Structures are given as structure tokens and as C-alpha cells.
Amino acid sequence: MAPVLLILLGATEILQADLLPDEKISLLPPVNFTIKITGLAQVLLHWEPNPDQEQRNVNLEYQVKINAPKEDDYETRITESKCVTILHKGFSASVRTILRNDRSLLASSWASAELHAPPGSPGTSVVNLTCTTNTTADNYSHLRPYQVSLHCTWLVGTDAPEDMQYFLYYRYGSWTEECQEYSKDSLGRNIACWFPRTFIRSRGRDWLAVLVNGSSKHCAIKPFDQLFALHAIDRINPPLNVTAEIEGTRLSIQWEKPVSAFPIHCFDYEVKIHNARNGYLQIEKMMTNAFISIIDDLSKYDVQVRAAVSSMCREAGLWSEWSQPIYVGKDEHKPLREWFLIVLMATICFILLILLLICRICHLWIKLFPPIPAPKSSIKDLFVTANYEKAGSVETEIEVISYIEKPGVETLEDSVF
């Protein structure tokens, strides 16, 4: 029993020793708290410990609270903190000294600082700013075998003057670049930007910061900045070298990983198989670069594959476009259609022939379409009569001469005449 009492007394003394500093110490807020812009959409928070703060054998920490543009809260042991955030709405933060133990939290009052929103006329900043990235292979660089392009588009502000012009910048990590290739609207104002090569790392996890500001002779253009997560804007390339083969009722599909800095195990795939005969659509998801399906060998199929970076390698993002369709199999409907057309044409020809024969036999054509009689002509009748008489006299003459020339019939001819 005695050892138990001794242990309890020792624990009580330790707890009291821990409580005494917390109860007697007075925490003071930090001093010289400043907010400094260090880059596009990036600020540095810096403060100093209060020189009047009692120094004891305690570990002081600091609690940082972001008030605007988006509330956030975190703790740190150092006296400065970097923050990536949009700045076109302004920025404000607070910091205080804290002392934490197992049972309670002691805290000082807050020290605050603020950055005001940049000047500019309302309605002049860009709207609907969107950006996408895409990876291409660089065969001329061994240090960076893949290059990332950046394409951004936006709409002109509703109250922007006609002489206004926009300019775009991006920051990734410590690199900042200004756009050199713009697309313009009918008034010559920049509405899109294209970076064929950037310092963006497709496998990186940093935020992409984009700023669009402008200038005009009539008013100040309000700047606009936005943060993009790479996984949410990266357009993955479709899989390469998609092949499909049919052996009996077995359809085998294979492909290669897209052009990307991610290794082969970092991709998910979707395979789409469309049956052209009955319209059935089959979509399968997998992690390998091959797929086998049992099919109807009397149908024709078109096969497509698309890819996305797996959540094992980064946060889930966009799917790629579908690959170009690959056509396999036999389409049995095509010969049937051809035979149907042939039989139809032959039937029509046979019916027309029967109708023509019936019309000819029954003189239906003449009954349905009787001939129109030609008008009589007195001159024509005159010529016809004269020709007939002349022809008759000639025939009579020829006949008489022939009878006279025949020997031994003279008595008969005399008796006739």
C-alpha cells in the first residue's frame, strides 16, 4: 500500500510543477507583424516575439489565422510563414502567442495586419479565366524530356473601355513569365494566351498562379489573379498505339501509356467497345494496358481508349480525350442491304415489263392514247390522184406491149380488143 501512495504523491507534485508556470506566466502578442508580397499570389507573414515576454523553460508557439480572402488557421513554431493566396480582393491575417499543455491552451491577444485590394475601376477586370496544361515530348532535351504548355482564355470585363488591353503572367514555384502569344477579339483586345513551353512541372504539386492586369487611357484596370491546381487543369494525352484483334469470339485490345512524365503504373484507363450491329456500348475501367472481351463474331466493333493519372500518383484529375476509333470485325448487315436493293430493283423492272406486255396485247396504249388525225389538204390529194393515174396508164401500156410481143396469140388479142 505504501508504494502506491508514494507514486500518487509523486505524480501530484509533477502536475503541480507543470501547472505553476502556466498559472503565473503572462503571454504577450507578437510585435512588428507585417505582410509582404513576394510574388504573384504569394505573401510572406513575418513577426517578432514580444521583447517584454517572460522567458522561461517553456516552448512558445504561434497561431496564425487568415481572415481574408479565405479563412484558414494553423500553428507554427517559427516567426514567419509563406502563404499562397489570391490578392485582388485584399488580404488580412492575425497572429498570437500560444502555450499548450496536456490540459489547457494559454493564448495572448491577436496582432493583425492587412493588405488592401489593388485599385481599379469596377467591372474592368477579366471574367471567366480558365487555363489548361498539356504535356509534349521534347526529343532535343535530355534534362527535360517532357515540356508542359499552358493555354489560358478569358472574357473582357463588362465595363472595360474599348482601348483597354490585358496582359497575362503566370508563376510556378520561383519562376514567373509574361505571355508573348495572344489571341485578340474584333477590337484588338487580348482574350487568350498561349505558352508553348513553360517551367511548369507536370508531376509537381505546387499551385499555378495566374495574374491578368491591364491598361487604359480612360480608367485604371482592376487586376485579377487566380490559383489553379495542376491535377484539375492538366489535359492528359490519349493512349498511344491502340490495337485490336479478333480471334473467333475473343477481342484483344492493347495500347501504350500516353505521352507524360508519369510512369506507366500511374495511369487508369477506360476502354469503350461499341457494337455497330445492335448499338450496345461497353465501357470497362482498368489499370493495365491490355483488355480481353468475349464478343459476337458476326458484328463490327469500334474500339477507343482514354487515360487519367491514378490517385496513387497525384489527386484525381481530368480524363484524356478518347483515342481514334479502331474498327474490327465483320458487318453482316451490309450484304443484306445490298441484296435487298438488288431484289427491289429487279421486282420493279419485272412489274414494268408485265405492264408493257399487257398494254401491247390488249391495245391499251392506243385506247388510252388514240392517234390524232392529220388535217386534209386539197393540194396533196391532187398530187396523189395525178400520180395514181399516171401509174395506171404506164402499167396498161406495159401490159399491152407485152401481150403484142408474145407470138402465137395475135388472133386472141384481136378478138379481145
Side-chain angles (χ1 to χ4, degrees):
M1 193 68 180
V4 175
L5 292 174
L6 291 175
I7 292 173
L8 292 174
L9 289 174
T12 304
E13 291 179 358
I14 292 173
L15 291 174
Q16 290 178 351
D18 289 339
L19 282 171
L20 288 175
D22 292 353
E23 291 174 351
K24 295 179 180 179
I25 194 170
S26 176
L27 296 181
L28 300 176
V31 296
N32 298 330
F33 180 38
T34 59
I35 303 175
K36 181 181 179 181
I37 298 177
T38 58
L40 296 183
Q42 182 175 266
V43 294
L44 176 65
L45 311 181
H46 181 78
W47 60 91
E48 297 176 359
N50 196 307
D52 298 330
Q53 179 67 57
E54 291 184 64
Q55 301 295 327
R56 294 194 179 186
N57 294 327
V58 292
N59 295 321
L60 297 179
E61 298 180 8
Y62 302 96
Q63 182 181 9
V64 180
K65 182 172 66 173
I66 308 300
N67 303 314
K70 184 179 180 180
E71 292 185 356
D72 194 10
D73 191 303
Y74 57 92
E75 297 177 3
T76 179
R77 293 178 178 270
I78 60 177
T79 58
E80 66 178 20
S81 174
K82 289 184 179 181
C83 184
V84 177
T85 178
I86 60 174
L87 298 175
H88 68 273
K89 295 181 179 180
F91 181 84
S92 66
S94 302
V95 62
R96 66 179 180 177
T97 308
I98 60 173
L99 178 61
R100 186 186 298 276
N101 59 33
D102 294 337
R103 300 178 311 281
S104 63
L105 173 68
L106 296 179
S108 71
S109 58
W110 292 98
S112 301
E114 181 180 6
L115 287 176
H116 296 286
S121 301
T124 59
S125 61
V126 300
V127 293
N128 293 346
L129 175 63
T130 59
C131 294
T132 57
T133 59
N134 183 251
T135 302
T136 57
D138 188 353
N139 298 325
Y140 302 99
S141 175
H142 297 287
L143 297 177
R144 297 188 65 187
Y146 298 99
Q147 290 291 336
V148 178
S149 62
L150 174 65
H151 183 248
C152 296
T153 61
W154 59 88
L155 298 178
V156 175
T158 55
D159 297 326
E162 292 186 358
D163 73 328
M164 176 276 312
Q165 190 59 277
Y166 290 122
F167 306 98
L168 182 139
Y169 305 80
Y170 86 87
R171 180 187 62 80
Y172 185 78
S174 60
W175 293 97
T176 301
E177 277 191 292
E178 179 182 1
C179 182
Q180 303 297 327
E181 299 184 24
Y182 289 101
S183 299
K184 302 179 182 294
D185 64 5
S186 59
L187 297 177
R189 299 176 295 190
N190 297 333
I191 57 172
C193 169
W194 165 251
F195 290 92
R197 299 166 67 93
T198 66
F199 292 98
I200 300 172
R201 294 179 62 248
S202 58
R203 297 180 62 179
R205 298 181 181 272
D206 293 337
W207 286 95
L208 172 67
V210 178
L211 168 69
V212 181
N213 57 21
S215 63
S216 171
K217 296 179 180 179
H218 302 286
C219 63
I221 305 301
K222 192 173 182 63
F224 179 85
D225 57 352
Q226 188 169 336
L227 296 175
F228 297 94
L230 288 185
H231 71 273
I233 65 171
D234 188 21
R235 292 286 184 183
I236 302 298
N237 295 301
L240 298 175
N241 299 329
V242 180
T243 60
E245 295 181 353
I246 292 180
E247 296 181 2
T249 59
R250 177 171 167 169
L251 173 61
S252 301
I253 307 170
Q254 293 183 338
W255 59 89
E256 297 178 4
K257 85 174 188 73
V259 175
S260 174
F262 287 95
I264 189 171
H265 67 272
C266 285
F267 288 96
D268 293 329
Y269 300 99
E270 280 189 349
V271 179
K272 181 169 66 174
I273 305 173
H274 177 249
N275 188 322
R277 182 171 64 87
N278 56 22
Y280 177 73
L281 186 64
Q282 177 185 0
I283 297 180
E284 300 290 342
K285 187 175 181 179
M286 63 206 61
M287 299 179 63
T288 61
N289 61 341
F291 177 70
I292 297 176
S293 177
I294 303 302
I295 61 169
D296 174 12
D297 59 350
L298 299 178
S299 300
K300 188 174 183 179
Y301 298 86
D302 55 271
V303 178
Q304 293 177 283
V305 186
R306 67 177 181 177
V309 178
S310 171
S311 58
M312 296 188 304
C313 298
R314 74 172 184 191
E315 294 185 55
L318 303 174
W319 284 94
S320 72
E321 298 292 334
W322 290 102
S323 63
Q324 293 296 319
I326 304 296
Y327 298 97
V328 292
K330 300 177 181 179
D331 189 357
E332 296 296 335
H333 279 287
K334 185 175 180 180
L336 293 177
R337 287 195 298 268
E338 291 182 353
W339 278 111
F340 176 77
L341 292 176
I342 293 173
V343 172
L344 178 63
M345 295 300 295
T347 303
I348 293 174
C349 293
F350 180 75
I351 292 173
L352 291 176
L353 181 60
I354 295 298
L355 291 176
L356 289 175
L357 291 175
I358 292 173
C359 291
R360 185 174 182 83
I361 294 172
C362 300
H363 302 285
L364 291 178
W365 187 266
I366 297 175
K367 293 179 181 179
L368 293 175
F369 305 101
I372 300 174
K376 295 183 178 181
S377 175
S378 58
I379 299 176
K380 183 176 179 181
D381 294 340
L382 179 61
F383 278 104
V384 171
T385 305
N387 290 334
Y388 177 76
E389 292 177 351
K390 184 176 180 181
S393 61
V394 172
E395 290 176 358
T396 305
E397 184 179 359
I398 293 172
E399 185 179 0
V400 172
I401 294 173
S402 61
Y403 277 111
I404 293 173
E405 289 179 350
K406 289 182 182 181
V409 291
E410 295 179 358
T411 307
L412 180 61
E413 291 177 358
D414 291 339
S415 62
V416 173
F417 287 101

